[in-house]
Amino acid sequence: MNRMNIFWFRRDLRLEDNIGLHHALNTGLKVIPIFIFDTEILSKLQNKNDRRVDYIHQALQQIHQELKKHNSGLRVYYGSPIDIFRKLAEDFTIDTVFCNRDYEPQALQRDRQVADLLSKHHIYFRDFKDQVIFEKNNILKSDLSPYTVFTPYSKKWKENLTTIETFSTNWDHFANDEEISEIISLKEIGFEETDLKFIKPKLDADIIDSYGNYRDFPAMDRTTHLGIALRFGTISIRKCVQYAVKHSEVWLNELIWREFFMQILYHYPSVVHQCFKKKYENIPWRNDEDEFKAWCEGKTGYPIVDAGMRELNETGFMHNRVRMITASFLTKHLLIDWRWGEAYFAEKLLDYDLAANNGNWQWAAGCGCDAAPYFRIFNPYEQTKKFDKDTQYIRKWLPVDYIEEPIVDHTNARERALKVYKEALAE
């Protein structure tokens, strides 16, 4: 049997400008493209109608249909990556497995295990930087330590940015695989189709060019909605940055925040479960379960908070300004551990990304790197006046007969939070 390469799709579900795929196709050997629905990851998802799984599945179907035009196809597996690669090593004569890097602690551990297994079969494992412009130790301080404050990080990031290269796809080098007519169905992996319709993401010039002017107003819906595309790599980060550099400094900064939190997670993996600023572990969170339930259900009596939570529960999306307001409310007004909120968002958000979700929740709670100071407590009423003054957003997501008594008084809750934080941090 002829030697072949494998390209393993993960967080890069596209055929264009895919660095690992480009390198796999340029070795001269035929390439078998694969995707693995990892049973360990899927087993943690409680909702069998999870739109994210459907999004991935639809993106894979699109890749498969495109490959079929070139007499190839995508092999989609369901199981543990170790078991799948053990079987692939028996079924094919594999030279190298190519993929693009992931930076989350569990993903890094998985890749080490896969690389070890492959080496026992004399198969190379090559991974590439694809989902970020700068990774790992690309952007460091002069003393070679990682940045933990965004502003100097972003300044260095921009200084280091040169010409952005995009990568071609050599269609001739995909392995002929016409025997695969259909990829594995959602039912076969224990999930259901949802109301989500995958549309190939594109850059909306109208939205991006005026992003800085309108992004804070939730009723206007003038954000890119590219979070899920960047999360699963259905759009190339290089394409996004190329456009942002020319058209929107504000959006470019958002893309840099994404990389900032990724490198924080890479260098400080303990942030997954712990406060970046260790002192904040002293905060005696109230963790009232009834109040947490009210927050989750959008029944706090604070209209902007409740509108945001209902939008999230119904659609899997929440406007970024409202994410900040709801997170501040949970951690400051209710004094509920940021980890509770982070886990709830992780379950619900279509664009859930561990690094960004964790980084933003710790920012809201004041305990993260580059954190907002603990005494910055968003006033939901003032935020409404400023960003939803005609209550268009609120009215969109709250029923006409919405009447909820506020579960806490803003002034009292603010004073309580200041006192609790101050005393805990003084210890």
Side-chain angles (χ1 to χ4, degrees), residues 212-261:
N213 298 329
Y214 304 119
R215 65 166 181 154
D216 276 318
F217 302 95
M220 296 180 105
D221 195 24
R222 301 273 298 178
T223 59
T224 66
H225 288 276
L226 288 175
I228 188 170
L230 286 164
R231 165 65 182 87
F232 295 112
T234 53
I235 196 167
S236 147
I237 185 63
R238 287 168 295 286
K239 189 177 172 184
C240 293
V241 168
Q242 269 181 338
Y243 192 90
V245 165
K246 291 177 186 165
H247 298 270
S248 176
E249 179 84 5
V250 180
W251 190 47
L252 178 64
N253 284 333
E254 292 301 306
L255 296 173
I256 300 172
W257 267 108
R258 174 180 171 271
E259 299 204 0
F260 175 67
F261 283 140

Side-chain angles (χ1 to χ4, degrees), residues 15 59-69 72-76 177 180-183:
L15 291 162
L60 296 175
Q61 282 181 315
Q62 199 164 98
I63 289 171
H64 182 56
Q65 293 308 318
E66 193 62 36
L67 288 170
K68 279 172 74 174
K69 294 176 191 171
S72 189
L74 179 66
R75 290 177 173 260
V76 179
D177 215 345
I180 311 170
S181 57
E182 298 299 329
I183 64 171

